[in-house]
Amino acid sequence: IKDTETILRIALQKSGRLHDDSMDLMNRSGIKFNTGAGRLVAQSTGFPVEALFLRDDDIPQTVYDGVADIGIVGENEYAEKGYELEIVKHLNFGKCRLSLAIPKSEHYTGVGWFDGKKVATSYPRILKKFFEEKKIQAEIHEIAGSVEIAPGIGLADAIFDIVSSGSTLVANSLKEVGVVMYSQAVVVANKNLEPEKREILDQMLFRFNSVMASAT
Ligand code: ATP
Ligand code: ZN
């Protein structure tokens, strides 16, 4: 028995759309946390892992900085933040797409429609890259939430946002005209994990694989 035990620290969403599925995966992998109400850090019983509960927006940087070793986050959030991490596993939950949508009444002529338009989004970095690739000159207007109401109140001509069922678009008289990226939850890891931590990660991924293979 070593006196200094290596612990792998994993950043998980504190609450929100990825929280329950993330916790469920950990639980079913036999990694249970002593979570108390509102606690930010939790030790695991029976496995050398501890959890750090954060907003999903903060997870990529926390892993990049090495404050956490790995994290579970949406590919969309990972791409938007732009920190270079290693994607070690796709988790098959938290599925959504990032799409462009315009008012239902508009006649869509292809991506050129966006030239000279103002587009509201919470994902400016991903959108900027897409428009650059397509040689579209559009104005990107960053807003934090309720992006889908922007065209209706005259704040923008179109939106770029997360779509899952599409019902939010319909409720706001918008139509989806293009998918820019598909996303799901992924395990991201710091690129410079020490070997002891990498070994714990491998054991954890082995358990994830068994759980996911038996779930279907
Ligand atoms: P936080 O408080 O952690 O910042 P949030 O409000 O930014 O949470 P959530 O709405 O909980 O984020 O979504 C977290 C992630 O879940 C998204 O970034 C995306 O990867 C995924 N997701 C899957 N389906 C949807 C959906 N229908 N709407 C929003 N996000 C979804
Ligand atoms: Zn967030």
Side-chain angles (χ1 to χ4, degrees):
I1 299 170
K2 288 181 287 175
D3 50 6
T4 49
E5 194 194 8
T6 303
I7 303 272
L8 186 77
R9 191 184 256 185
I10 179 168
L12 300 169
Q13 192 188 25
K14 186 172 167 55
S15 63
R17 285 190 159 90
L18 300 179
H19 176 84
D20 288 355
D21 284 330
S22 302
M23 294 309 284
D24 195 50
L25 176 63
M26 302 296 291
N27 272 320
R28 288 192 297 139
S29 301
I31 305 168
K32 302 194 199 295
F33 294 108
N34 300 311
T35 48
R39 282 189 42 197
L40 291 183
V41 187
Q43 263 69 42
S44 160
T45 47
F47 202 71
V49 167
E50 80 181 3
L52 199 59
F53 294 104
L54 302 172
R55 288 197 55 187
D56 68 345
D57 311 61
D58 295 330
I59 292 175
Q61 186 181 2
T62 303
V63 174
Y64 183 78
D65 290 344
V67 172
D69 302 303
I70 64 169
I72 295 180
V73 72
E75 285 177 293
N76 55 321
E77 213 51 55
Y78 168 61
E80 178 61 27
K81 295 299 186 249
Y83 293 102
E84 236 192 271
L85 304 170
E86 185 186 347
I87 295 183
V88 293
K89 176 90 189 145
H90 286 75
L91 293 175
N92 222 19
F93 62 77
K95 288 194 170 177
C96 58
R97 56 190 189 269
L98 291 185
S99 290
L100 287 158
I102 70 174
K104 199 172 60 185
S105 56
E106 287 285 329
H107 174 61
Y108 188 63
T109 49
V111 74
W113 184 92
F114 287 94
D115 248 319
K117 296 291 202 301
K118 188 170 173 180
V119 186
T121 188
S122 310
Y123 297 93
R125 187 187 173 105
I126 296 171
L127 184 58
K128 182 167 180 279
K129 192 159 162 257
F130 174 78
F131 280 152
E132 278 170 5
E133 281 166 6
K134 300 287 177 188
K135 309 247 183 305
I136 301 293
Q137 305 275 340
E139 185 187 336
I140 297 173
H141 184 76
E142 182 177 358
I143 47 179
S146 303
V147 170
E148 66 284 352
I149 67 166
I153 62 173
L155 200 64
D157 302 302
I159 66 163
F160 173 61
D161 202 10
I162 289 183
V163 178
S164 52
S165 72
S167 57
T168 306
L169 295 182
V170 173
N172 288 280
S173 302
L174 299 170
K175 61 181 175 189
E176 185 176 3
V177 295
V179 179
V180 172
M181 105 174 255
Y182 287 92
S183 177
Q184 60 177 284
V186 289
V187 180
V188 289
N190 183 285
K191 288 205 153 181
N192 306 303
L193 280 191
E194 53 190 85
E196 292 83 2
K197 288 184 173 179
R198 171 59 66 169
E199 200 169 306
I200 300 169
L201 172 59
D202 287 343
Q203 287 174 26
M204 199 176 89
L205 292 176
F206 183 84
R207 294 185 183 200
F208 283 4
N209 288 337
S210 322
V211 167
M212 289 172 67
S214 66
T216 40

